[in-house]
Amino acid sequence: LHTFLSISGPHLGYMYSTNTLFDGGIWLLKSFKRSACLHQLSFTDASKLTDTFIYKLSSTRGLEYFKAVILVASPQDGYVPLHSSRVTECAACHRDGKRGKQFMYMV
């Protein structure tokens, strides 16, 4: 496989999102739609973080099969947190004593 290109994808979900309006919309949709995808992206698909779909997916193999991995992110993106689309740590995960270490493991 040659190139994996992702443009502003929420690779690490919306756990540390700073857009409260968007977070409210996600909560509202989760309440009425019962969408598995929205629960997975917000880490509410399991009671323990280590049992969530995204956490388990982060430890599976796959990206090493590509010759190039390109993650495109923008700080102006109002929907996907920058750290999630770039797959990097964020300041909020360092302050989170409850779930921060598990989040850093996914990076």
Side-chain angles (χ1 to χ4, degrees), residues 61-99:
R61 298 175 50 103
L63 287 179
E64 68 271 9
Y65 298 120
F66 291 92
K67 292 179 184 174
V69 176
I70 302 169
L71 304 176
V72 180
S74 172
Q76 288 95 8
D77 189 341
Y79 301 107
V80 178
L82 186 62
H83 68 274
S84 183
S85 57
R86 291 188 320 178
V87 188
T88 59
E89 296 176 359
C90 63
C93 74
H94 291 284
R95 292 189 302 266
D96 187 354
K98 185 177 180 182
R99 302 179 299 175

Side-chain angles (χ1 to χ4, degrees), residues 26-101:
I26 292 286
W27 176 84
L28 192 64
L29 285 172
K30 283 189 327 186
S31 299
F32 293 110
K33 284 284 191 180
R34 304 282 187 230
S35 169
C37 177
L38 293 176
H39 284 283
Q40 291 168 351
L41 287 171
S42 58
F43 296 92
T44 56
D45 57 322
S47 57
K48 290 175 36 180
L49 180 64
T50 54
D51 293 333
T52 62
F53 176 76
I54 292 181
Y55 186 89
K56 290 178 180 178
L57 187 63
S58 71
S59 58
T60 60
R61 298 175 50 103
L63 287 179
E64 68 271 9
Y65 298 120
F66 291 92
K67 292 179 184 174
V69 176
I70 302 169
L71 304 176
V72 180
S74 172
Q76 288 95 8
D77 189 341
Y79 301 107
V80 178
L82 186 62
H83 68 274
S84 183
S85 57
R86 291 188 320 178
V87 188
T88 59
E89 296 176 359
C90 63
C93 74
H94 291 284
R95 292 189 302 266
D96 187 354
K98 185 177 180 182
R99 302 179 299 175
K101 286 184 181 180

Side-chain angles (χ1 to χ4, degrees), residues 1-23:
L1 301 172
H2 193 271
T3 302
F4 174 81
L5 172 65
S6 176
I7 301 173
S8 291
H11 305 289
L12 295 177
Y14 293 105
M15 185 185 304
Y16 296 112
S17 174
T18 57
N19 185 338
T20 54
L21 183 62
F22 185 74
D23 292 344

